[in-house]
Amino acid sequence: MNIDEYAGKYFALYESFAETVQFVLKKALLSAEGLPHPQSIQYRAKSVESLRNRLSGEGKLESQTLEQDRRDLAGVRVIFYTNNDVEKFLGSPLIRENFDIDEGSTRIHHPIPENEGARYRGIHYTVRLREDRIRLPEYARFAGLRCEIQVQTILNHAWSETSHDIVYKQKLGDGYGKRAMEGITRRFERIMDEYLIPAGYEIQKAQREYERLLRGKLLFDNDVVTLLDNAQNNNERYEILSSLQNHAIPYYDDLPAAYDRLKAPFLRVVQAAREAEQVAIETAFGGMKGFKAEAITKLVVEIVEGLRYADAVGTLQLLIDIYRDEPNEQAREQVVSAVKHLAAYNMDAYQQVGPILQMALLEQLNGMDAAEVDRIRPIALAVWSEALQLDITGQTWKADSVILRSGAVPASDQLLEVRDKAIVALFAAYDRSVDDSQRRRVLSSLDDGTRAPSQVACPDELLTATLRDAARIVEFMTGRAPQTSYELLQHLEHRYLYDYYRVRGLADGEGGKPAHQADAAALVRAILRFRDAINADESFVRYKVLVGYESVFPAHWIDRDFDYKESDAYRQQEVDRYVKAVDAENENDWFDLATRCAQTKSNDLATFPVFGDFIAKLSQRKPKVAVGFLDRAGDDLHGLLAAFLNGLVASDRQDIYERALASELDSARNLPGVVHHLRYSEAKQPHVARRLLDRAMETDDTVAVTKCLAFAMEAYGTEKLDDTDTIVHDALAYLTERKDPRWVWGVWFAAGRDVRFYQEVSPERVGQILKNLAFLPKVDHHVERVLRSLAERYPENVWDYFGDRLARAEQAIDQNGGEFEAVPYRLHDLQKALSKDAELAVAKGMAWFVRDATLFQFRGGRLLCAVFPRDADVFMAALAGLVKEGGETEADFAIAVLRNYHGETVTHVILKEIVSRFPEDDRRHGGVRSCLENTGVVHGELGFANAWRAKKETLSEWLDDPRQEIRMFAEKERASLDLMIAAEERRAEASTRMRRMDYDDLADHEEGEPDPEAADER
């Protein structure tokens, strides 16, 4: 068809076709539920004059294929009132359900660098009538015709129509009005940028807020309290609470009154949720797990935290009631966190009520029975601790930033009263504490009362308060010292040594003001009285030499630079003196002290080394005394069996050592301790290891068996063991029978190529090891170290190990309650060993894929990607060879693997091969596109758009490929990326604009700012 044929014969046909498309759209919109009605739907056939001008400008005036060259000969414009209406329409399937869309011709018009920021905005679809409609006689004449459907707002429509008539259709010609027209064009651009776009988003925001208001009104009208009380399961409860939080609470006119009415229902809904069973949520894609009780609790706490200042005391009581019977630890922690936020000094709240809020919370706790307070002790500690803080904070959120403000709480008589009440309450809580764990938490809260503000200089009044309160706390603990455990005394002396040096200069008049000197001196005197009181106990002095890492010695009080090396030397000197001092007369006293030291509970390995040295030296130098200690030792002291044996084996009484060792094997009281002794001492007892393993298996001591296995691997081929391989075999057989692979955490740090066991391990033993490790729910970096050592000589076995994990993944997930990870997300040590043979990796991966392609991309494919990271040229070459020589299955395998990459150019050789091997409509072309478009992590508002721009650039090289199918694919993919970029730019702009308006509204409602002299902005 040429221009003359269009004018004479086809114009009317296209106009009729456009009218038909309009009719279809109108009928579809009228019958659609939930879609907005447009302001209008306009149609037209492109005028002959306009078409002639366009063709002339493009040099196609003589074209004989207009129906192919132009997709807008028929046009329909759907005009909506607002951005929201446009988004709802675009999000619906209406166009797709009523027309065949030419996906390659879809256009998103939006200002982006690629179109030099052209201001026109709209979404254009190119459509045909569906085949079922074309078969109807009245529509048959429209077969093959295309129509462009444009979707835009009324504001954009007004702009585009006006600017099109003035700017696009202007006929001033050359030599006249050029600068004036440039000015008019700029004015149209400014109209769009400064008026129409902001107006569109303002209308969108108003419409969105109104819709939220209406959703909240439904809850308001239906009585949210009744809805919560009548909810049948936790899914309904969660939905009601979410709607209440997002759509109703922000719009209550009298929020305190509404909150007062909601507090009791909040508690009831939490209590009801705890009694309810989890109910699955049925969706169109199948069932999914419903909400558990803790999800309801967390949501209620989140809502309450947002309302906390509407009724601070009521909020505290509600949180206490929720916490009291809450069984979920994470939910309890969230409640305590909410209490901390409630009790903290907040600038905005403080400006309105000062410390009255904290006083009210303290009074609420003081009015409770002591036993009840102890039931909710973490909550009480949070309130008391925050009341003693001298930092006050605030924050101001903006659309793209947050300003954190901090300062010192203003000093006042009320503040001093708050601090006094908190300290008195903490003293009482300390006296009611039943163990050191509780006492330490109280002491931690009291410690907050001795700290100056952390972010600003401390005002004089607050410095005075902290000095006096610190002295008061030290004096309190001095009075409690006789009843305090050695562990706590050791911790407190270490803490007070820091305070001593912190204020000693101030007490001596160095810096500060004279007014503070007396208070600082009083604190120093209190600390020294505490020091002298606790160190009057000789047993405590010996205890802190032998146990712990917070020990303070006399030199510490004299020399501030007395470091850990000097401290360790002093302790070793004292250990030697203590060992020398032990004799028949005081043996029982030393036994009691050793028992007391061994009773210290700690997970820190720095707690017992010196005590272990003491036991070892005592055993070496006075073996009879040591074996006497061992014979009557309780479980705690007997836990240091290895230290006893280490000393005895080095003594001159081997007979005592042999008897002690034989006794321990017979009693099997602490077989792990015996293994530890043999493993880390100079003892050479090769015959004992076999007996030790047998006893461990006889007594079902799995820990000892595990340690025997680790010992055998580590001492493989040394004089410490006989027949090591048999020990390894038997220990592994025992542990595998019990599905116990925990031994790996006892050997991982020693696993390496320089360890003889891994250099000489047999294929049989490798298989046995891997069979045992199959019971691991996941392969972490510890396990990797062992697998790496095996993979150096047996890479295929390790690949098969992962293949086995993949094969039984679904079964293992069910057996482990979902806690099973077939392959690690990332490799550390193992990657280098497995990446040496790319052909082997590809072969193994292909075998796994053929066996089961389900979820292979996310498991086997992910593992291959982890072994061969982004620059794996050798792996890509092997994969390309497989695709080139293979068929559909090989191509599917390659796509599944490459979807774990991010479309790097190193993958293109494989992707091109797939494109060239399969026709354009083959599904694998879609797989190639997904591989190319995968971005991984992006940053910033336009992260995806910029990532896709970079990918579009990498496809430029495809355009030079000699294969036509590659060039055609690249052209279409680049066009598709253009569409994705424009859509993302459009989404990002809307998101940014709407967010800024949200925060601008928030700023408009803020009342006042904090005193700039009382706070720093950070």
Side-chain angles (χ1 to χ4, degrees), residues 251-481:
Y251 303 108
Y252 277 114
D253 293 329
D254 187 350
L255 190 57
Y259 182 37
D260 186 62
R261 183 167 176 261
L262 288 170
K263 287 199 291 284
F266 280 158
L267 179 59
R268 290 198 299 271
V269 78
V270 168
Q271 293 170 337
R274 292 172 186 158
E275 302 299 323
E277 294 184 0
Q278 187 177 13
V279 177
I281 300 174
E282 297 300 328
T283 72
F285 304 100
M288 58 180 289
K289 292 181 179 179
F291 291 101
K292 294 182 179 180
E294 51 264 33
I296 307 300
T297 301
K298 290 178 180 179
L299 182 54
V300 167
V301 172
E302 183 180 316
I303 295 171
V304 168
E305 189 172 355
L307 298 171
R308 61 187 182 276
Y309 294 134
D311 179 4
V313 173
T315 296
L316 176 62
Q317 188 57 55
L318 175 57
L319 291 172
I320 287 172
D321 293 337
I322 292 173
Y323 179 91
R324 188 180 291 113
D325 299 313
E326 176 56 51
N328 183 270
E329 186 59 33
Q330 288 186 340
R332 289 167 70 93
E333 290 175 0
Q334 186 185 7
V335 172
V336 174
S337 177
V339 172
K340 286 176 69 68
H341 293 158
L342 171 66
Y345 291 104
N346 175 274
M347 288 183 176
D348 296 328
Y350 199 94
Q351 282 184 333
Q352 299 183 47
V353 298
I356 292 177
L357 186 151
Q358 285 72 25
M359 181 71 76
L361 300 181
L362 291 171
E363 291 293 348
Q364 180 73 5
L365 292 176
N366 287 343
M368 296 173 60
D369 179 78
E372 180 62 21
V373 171
D374 288 341
R375 284 187 62 195
I376 49 98
R377 179 175 282 238
I379 285 180
L381 288 174
V383 173
W384 296 328
S385 179
E386 292 299 325
L388 291 175
Q389 296 282 351
L390 291 180
D391 288 306
I392 186 169
T393 60
Q395 56 190 20
T396 301
W397 288 88
K398 296 187 176 181
D400 53 5
S401 64
V402 59
I403 299 174
L404 303 178
R405 311 192 304 274
S406 64
V409 180
S412 65
D413 291 341
Q414 281 183 319
L415 179 66
L416 296 181
E417 185 179 356
V418 165
R419 289 174 62 84
D420 177 69
K421 288 181 178 293
I423 291 173
V424 169
L426 284 164
F427 284 168
Y430 182 91
D431 287 338
R432 295 197 306 273
S433 298
V434 297
D435 56 37
D436 275 4
S437 176
Q438 290 188 353
R439 295 185 188 96
R440 283 181 183 272
R441 292 189 179 94
V442 173
L443 289 172
S444 177
S445 295
L446 283 170
D447 191 52
D448 291 329
T450 70
R451 294 288 163 260
S454 60
Q455 300 295 328
V456 295
C458 185
D460 291 344
E461 299 90 338
L462 296 185
L463 180 56
T464 297
T466 58
L467 290 171
R468 292 178 180 177
D469 288 340
R472 179 183 178 188
I473 293 168
V474 174
E475 290 167 356
F476 172 81
M477 291 311 304
T478 303
R480 302 301 188 277

Side-chain angles (χ1 to χ4, degrees), residues 645-761:
L645 294 176
N646 290 348
L648 290 174
V649 75
S651 72
D652 56 4
R653 292 296 306 272
Q654 289 301 296
D655 57 323
I656 293 179
Y657 167 69
E658 296 286 353
R659 286 198 301 273
L661 186 60
S663 176
E664 291 299 331
L665 289 173
D666 289 338
S667 69
R669 184 181 179 187
N670 185 3
L671 294 179
V674 179
V675 183
H676 192 277
H677 157 63
L678 295 176
R679 186 177 180 184
Y680 294 109
S681 73
E682 296 300 320
K684 294 182 177 61
Q685 300 284 342
H687 62 285
V688 172
R690 178 73 253 180
R691 172 87 193 284
L692 179 57
L693 176 61
D694 290 341
R695 287 293 289 147
M697 293 190 293
E698 289 169 7
T699 57
D700 208 22
D701 189 337
T702 304
V703 174
V705 174
T706 297
K707 290 185 176 294
C708 283
L709 176 58
F711 173 41
M713 288 181 168
E714 192 173 296
Y716 190 89
T718 69
E719 296 178 356
K720 287 191 171 188
L721 288 173
D722 285 336
D723 197 11
T724 312
D725 191 60
T726 302
I727 292 177
V728 171
H729 171 274
D730 293 350
L732 279 171
Y734 173 91
L735 294 171
T736 302
E737 183 181 355
R738 288 157 179 76
K739 300 180 179 180
D740 187 348
R742 290 176 296 172
W743 59 270
V744 73
W745 287 288
V747 304
W748 69 269
F749 50 85
R753 285 172 292 181
D754 55 342
V755 176
R756 187 171 175 181
F757 173 78
Y758 296 104
Q759 295 172 348
E760 301 180 11
V761 63

